Amino acid sequence: MTDSEAPPAKAPEGVSGAPALPQPVLEIASGYAFTGPALELGALLWDGRCLPDVQIRIPLPMLNRHGLVAGATGTGKTKTLQLIAEQLSAQGVPVFLADVKGDVSGISAPGQENDKVRTRAGEVRQEWTPTGFPCEFYALGGMGHGIPVRATITSFGPVLLSKVLQLNQTQEQSLGLIFHYADQKGLELVDLKDLRAVVTFLTSDEGKSELKGIGGLSTATAGVILRSLTAFEAQGMSPFFGEPEFDTSELSRVAGDGRGTVSVLELPAVQDKPQLFSTFLMWLLADLFHDLPEVGDVDKPKLVFFFDEAHLLFNDASKAFLDAITQTVRLIRSKGVGVFFVTQTPKDVPGDVLAQLGNRVQHALRAFTPDDQKALKSTVKTFPNSPYDLEEVLTALGTGEAVVTVLSEKGAPTPVAATRLRAPESLMGPVDPAALDRAVEQSPLYGRYAEAVDRESAYEKLTAREAEAAASSASSASGPSSESASSRGRGRKGDGQDSSVVEQVVGSGVFKSLARSLGTQIGREITRSVFGTARRRR
């Protein structure tokens, strides 16, 4: 790739001195010469040189077409997220960042100028100004620095919970029946003790007949679920489920100055619980999908969601689970939400999901082992045709450099461009923990979510029911009784109905009323999404 390989050509508008550049460079420059608002990624790399006249960009309206940021450890993926998040915020787009390593909080503080920053800014022709951006900090279950993010068991749903508990397909289906029963009987599953209470009841003498007509709940399967719940709690997982439940609409807030709020979910305290935090991120995304209205194509996204350590979500996932992810990613674009998956290689992401990711920022890959070389070849095949030798380029990129292809304003892939990326303008590292704690406590959301609430739910209702049954049994011990324990439980409401859960779940009347009741309290409880998460009206 030398200047002599192609004759001079007319420069595209805005590329000074370009007639001296080879034809492939001019074609790349033309592919990124957008007329509308765009995010600035950096300058083109060609034949070992950085060409600041050729700026590589992403059109702002295309950010809801999803993307992938990939690369080996230490190649600069986190700084790329920071760079993109800053520019989105500046253009009024809210951003969600999962901070797995604990070094993204610096986006709230102005960066520190030094020789490296000055050099990089000069190379890519960047007017670098230290700038902090409006942030909210969250922590799963309050573990770590941040406003606690919790979900109720009912809202989380059986599919996502099965992945967290590492249940197999049969056990997942049984858990789905348990959720159906709880929904229909008005037994709110708020926390783990609620779910345990319902499982225990359904395997008791009084409750074991409740699910018999639709498959039942075997003692063995119930035992597996209960043991998984016990192990889950023993690992300190209880705080993640409960109330007040986090309202995901908080992630779409815009600051008073018009900049989009950057929501940073601090995850260092749960780094050793990958199944939990990756599945929790999927719950956030699924909940957004259910709540946001359809908007179609928009001038800029309503929210851009960065899904870090994405491979953890897909590891050991069932086909049904992967299908649900694919469907969510495919359809959430019409809600104005863009999703960027962040991982090491594209092969970490299933093909059906990868096909939905129109914007690609691929940092360097290593090829030290046969597996590395195989991953490198697979990655190259996922890019459009290119004048670069991508196998060579991808192993030679330095930190803060990447191979880029995005969707143009017309929705077509842009030419592949090796790029020296800009430097983030915010602090490239964590902020002081004391300053972070102050920011959290001063947030208007802190009072809403800080303290956990334990209201009456399934555990309390079933405990009271058991006590009532015991008292009733004791008082009538000397008198005749032909009523069984299970029928007493079903008829206690005194409404003259003695129907079983079979009739309630399978009967046509229930399914007809389901459609009519959407938007009512019962409708919100029993209408579930593709992930089994509860659909709610805010």
Side-chain angles (χ1 to χ4, degrees):
M1 296 182 291
T2 63
D3 292 356
S4 62
E5 289 178 354
K10 183 179 178 180
E13 185 178 353
V15 181
S16 60
L21 299 175
Q23 184 65 29
V25 171
L26 300 181
E27 292 175 356
I28 293 172
S30 178
Y32 290 89
F34 310 126
T35 57
L39 308 187
E40 305 290 341
L41 292 181
L44 182 70
L45 289 171
W46 182 266
D47 200 20
R49 292 186 296 147
C50 182
L51 307 178
D53 284 325
V54 183
Q55 291 291 310
I56 306 304
R57 316 160 73 210
I58 304 179
L60 185 61
M62 292 295 109
L63 266 296
N64 71 334
R65 301 298 179 92
H66 310 320
L68 176 74
V69 178
T73 301
T75 56
K77 296 192 299 294
T78 301
K79 300 302 176 283
T80 297
L81 305 189
Q82 195 167 339
L83 174 67
I84 296 174
E86 290 177 352
Q87 296 187 60
L88 286 168
S89 173
Q91 301 209 44
V93 178
V95 178
F96 172 88
L97 291 175
D99 187 7
V100 178
K101 297 185 289 292
D103 54 1
V104 180
S105 59
I107 196 170
S108 63
Q112 297 176 347
E113 189 173 8
N114 54 40
D115 290 341
K116 288 184 178 180
V117 169
R118 283 190 291 269
T119 299
R120 176 57 61 95
E123 290 171 342
V124 300
R125 198 169 291 167
Q126 174 187 7
E127 295 181 5
W128 189 89
T129 304
T131 309
F133 294 83
C135 288
E136 289 284 2
F137 298 99
Y138 301 98
L140 283 186
M143 290 185 63
H145 303 279
I147 297 164
V149 174
R150 306 179 187 90
T152 64
I153 294 290
T154 282
S155 174
F156 208 70
V159 178
L160 294 176
L161 189 61
S162 293
K163 189 173 193 303
V164 170
L165 297 177
Q166 300 181 353
L167 303 180
N168 63 29
Q169 183 177 355
T170 299
Q171 293 154 2
E172 177 183 320
Q173 292 170 347
S174 294
L175 189 61
L177 289 178
I178 294 167
F179 271 73
H180 270 300
Y181 177 81
D183 287 342
Q184 294 294 320
K185 293 296 186 179
L187 297 172
E188 298 91 341
L189 302 177
V190 174
D191 51 27
L192 293 176
K193 72 177 186 299
D194 290 322
L195 180 57
R196 182 188 292 103
V198 173
V199 176
T200 301
F201 169 74
L202 289 173
T203 55
S204 68
D205 291 338
E206 182 181 359
K208 62 185 178 182
S209 64
E210 292 288 321
L211 300 179
K212 186 177 294 184
I214 51 174
L217 177 64
S218 72
T219 302
T221 298
V224 171
I225 294 173
L226 289 173
R227 287 193 296 272
S228 297
L229 287 172
T230 300
F232 193 66
E233 287 181 291
Q235 296 173 39
M237 305 296 195
S238 295
F240 305 113
F241 296 100
E243 291 181 322
E245 182 174 71
F246 182 69
D247 185 343
T248 52
S249 66
E250 309 285 10
L251 303 179
S252 302
R253 296 167 61 222
V254 175
D257 60 4
R259 293 185 295 174
T261 298
V262 181
S263 299
V264 180
L265 181 64
E266 296 280 325
L267 294 171
V270 292
Q271 282 189 78
D272 59 340
K273 303 174 179 64
Q275 289 276 4
L276 174 71
F277 77 70
S278 63
T279 310
F280 228 100
L281 293 182
M282 197 66 234
W283 172 76
L284 289 172
L285 193 59
D287 199 67
L288 281 166
F289 172 69
H290 302 143
D291 284 358
L292 292 174
E294 295 278 344
V295 294
D297 291 325
V298 289
D299 293 335
K300 62 183 180 181
K302 300 296 183 183
L303 172 70
V304 176
F305 193 103
F306 289 92
F307 208 126
D308 204 357
E309 300 293 338
H311 64 282
L312 298 173
L313 179 68
F314 303 113
N315 287 350
D316 302 320
S318 67
K319 183 180 184 302
F321 189 82
L322 293 177
D323 288 345
I325 294 174
T326 303
Q327 183 176 353
T328 301
V329 171
R330 181 183 294 121
L331 298 179
I332 202 170
R333 180 187 71 81
S334 65
K335 306 292 185 83
V337 176
V339 183
F340 273 71
F341 291 97
V342 185
T343 189
Q344 294 204 357
T345 71
K347 73 180 184 65
D348 293 335
V349 180
D352 288 344
V353 177
L354 190 63
Q356 308 298 318
L357 312 182
N359 302 300
R360 299 275 301 280
V361 181
Q362 176 68 59
H363 288 265
L365 292 173
R366 309 305 180 205
F368 300 138
T369 69
D371 286 344
D372 290 342
Q373 293 169 0
K374 184 178 179 180
L376 174 62
K377 292 181 182 295
S378 297
T379 299
V380 169
K381 291 178 181 179
T382 64
F383 280 92
N385 291 333
S386 164
Y388 293 97
D389 181 344
L390 286 180
E391 286 193 34
E392 178 182 344
V393 170
L394 285 173
T395 55
L397 290 170
T399 301
E401 297 176 346
V403 170
V404 175
T405 179
V406 302
L407 293 180
S408 71
E409 292 168 311
K410 296 181 179 180
T414 59
V416 175
T419 307
R420 183 160 292 162
L421 299 168
R422 293 183 166 214
E425 296 184 336
S426 55
L427 183 64
M428 288 186 278
V431 298
D432 179 72
L436 181 56
D437 286 337
R438 285 194 299 272
V440 169
E441 292 171 3
Q442 292 170 3
S443 168
L445 303 181
Y446 184 76
R448 191 178 307 169
Y449 296 107
E451 294 297 327
V453 176
D454 188 11
R455 65 177 175 87
E456 184 185 60
S457 48
Y459 172 80
E460 288 79 12
K461 290 180 179 180
L462 288 172
T463 300
R465 177 175 175 173
E466 182 180 354
E468 181 185 342
S472 176
S473 176
S475 65
S476 61
S478 59
S481 175
S482 60
E483 184 185 29
S484 69
S486 59
S487 63
R488 286 199 305 270
R490 289 194 297 271
R492 180 162 288 109
K493 290 185 179 179
D495 56 6
Q497 297 179 357
D498 195 29
S499 59
S500 69
V501 74
V502 180
E503 294 168 306
Q504 293 181 348
V505 174
V506 188
S508 60
V510 171
F511 284 99
K512 290 178 182 177
S513 67
L514 173 61
R516 292 194 300 269
S517 64
L518 185 61
T520 67
Q521 180 63 29
I522 292 177
R524 288 195 297 274
E525 290 173 355
I526 65 177
T527 305
R528 292 188 173 274
S529 73
V530 67
F531 273 109
T533 52
R535 302 182 67 174
R536 298 164 293 152
R537 277 176 61 183
R538 306 290 188 198

